[in-house]
Amino acid sequence: MEVPLAPAHRGPILWKELLLAVSLLTLWSPPTTAQLTIPSVNATEGKDVLLLVHSLPENLFGYAWYRGERVDSNHRIASYVIETQNTTPGPAHSGQEKIYLNGSLLFQNVTLKDTGYYTVQAIRKDLQTEVATGQLRVYPENDYTGYPVETIAGILIGVLILVALATFLGYFRYRRRTERASDSRGLTEHRPSASTPGQGPSGTSTSPDLLHPSTDVYGRISPRADGAS
C-alpha cells in the first residue's frame, strides 16, 4: 500500500499521521531481514560531518532522523520524503542538519554539544520500518587525535607490553653477562701461578741440584765403587 502524498502545506500534518501509523504497525509487524548500519564518526568542532547510512532497503518512502538511541517524536531532527525531496524539521532540529536523498545526515559546523547518538528510521512504502543508531564524537580542535578512545587505549596497552618485554630482555642479558663475568673470575682465581726460581708450583723449595744439574757424572761416583773395581 502506497502512502498518498499530501500538498506541500500539509507536510507536518502528513508526517504526524505517517509516524503514528508506522508506530502502530511496528507493534505487530515482524522485523525485516535487512540491517541498517551507521558507522560512528569522530570529528573536530567547526567541521562539517556526514553520518552515512548503509544497507538501505528498497521501496523507500522516506527517512526520519532522531537525536538519541531510539525513535522518539520529541527528539526528531527532521523527516525526509524521497519522492518530493521535501524535508520537515522536527523539535530537535537546530538549523545545522540536512538530510540527503540517500538518507545521510549532514551536520554543518559541528559543536561539542553535537556529541552523542543519532538514530535513523527508514520508512518503506508499505510502512515497514528499519532502524539503526550511530555515534558522533566531537573533540576540541587541539585535543583531537583522529582515533577513537578504544583505539588509543589499545595503542597504550601495546606500548606498555613492548616496554615490559624490552625491560625483561635487557635484564636477562644483564644477568647472562654478570654470570659469565663471575665464572671468568672464578677460573682466574683457581688457576696455578707460574713457578719462580727456587720454588715449585705449590711454593715449596726445590733442590739446587734439580734446578742446576751437574754434568760431572763421573766425579760423583762413590770411591767404594772404584775400590770394588
Side-chain angles (χ1 to χ4, degrees):
M1 178 183 69
E2 296 189 5
V3 179
L5 296 178
H9 66 274
R10 295 189 64 244
I13 299 177
L14 171 63
W15 269 107
K16 289 181 180 180
E17 297 173 351
L18 176 63
L19 294 177
L20 177 59
V22 166
S23 300
L24 294 175
L25 288 173
T26 304
L27 296 177
W28 60 269
S29 298
T32 55
T33 57
Q35 296 294 327
L36 290 179
T37 56
I38 304 175
S40 297
V41 177
N42 299 317
T44 56
E45 56 181 341
K47 302 294 183 179
D48 292 347
V49 179
L50 189 65
L51 291 183
L52 298 174
V53 182
H54 298 313
S55 302
L56 286 169
E58 298 180 352
N59 301 320
L60 282 174
F61 172 78
Y63 315 98
W65 276 90
Y66 302 86
R67 181 181 291 272
E69 299 183 67
R70 62 190 180 91
V71 174
D72 186 348
S73 59
N74 294 324
H75 296 94
R76 181 169 56 88
I77 297 173
S79 304
Y80 183 86
V81 178
I82 294 176
E83 187 170 344
T84 61
Q85 298 186 14
N86 288 333
T87 300
T88 304
H93 192 270
S94 65
Q96 65 182 113
E97 300 91 358
K98 179 180 179 181
I99 301 178
Y100 285 104
L101 182 64
N102 62 357
S104 300
L105 179 65
L106 173 67
F107 290 86
Q108 298 175 333
N109 192 24
V110 294
T111 65
L112 297 178
K113 295 181 179 180
D114 294 322
T115 296
Y117 290 92
Y118 293 88
T119 299
V120 63
Q121 183 182 38
I123 305 171
R124 291 166 41 177
K125 293 181 180 180
D126 59 1
L127 298 186
Q128 297 293 325
T129 64
E130 298 180 26
V131 177
T133 300
Q135 186 177 15
L136 171 62
R137 303 183 186 94
V138 182
Y139 298 92
E141 186 173 1
N142 296 332
D143 297 340
Y144 179 60
T145 60
Y147 298 97
V149 176
E150 296 81 1
T151 303
I152 297 175
I155 293 174
L156 290 177
I157 293 174
V159 171
L160 291 176
I161 292 175
L162 291 177
V163 171
L165 289 175
T167 303
F168 173 78
L169 292 176
Y171 175 75
F172 178 77
R173 295 181 63 183
Y174 170 77
R175 285 293 303 273
R176 290 291 300 273
R177 289 198 300 266
T178 303
E179 292 175 357
R180 289 178 180 176
S182 177
D183 294 342
S184 299
R185 286 196 300 269
L187 292 175
T188 303
E189 292 174 357
H190 291 84
R191 184 180 302 168
S193 59
S195 300
T196 57
Q199 290 185 344
S202 60
T204 59
S205 299
T206 306
S207 172
D209 294 337
L210 294 177
L211 293 174
H212 303 288
S214 175
T215 58
D216 188 8
V217 177
Y218 297 100
R220 291 179 178 272
I221 300 176
S222 172
R224 293 181 181 181
D226 294 340
S229 61

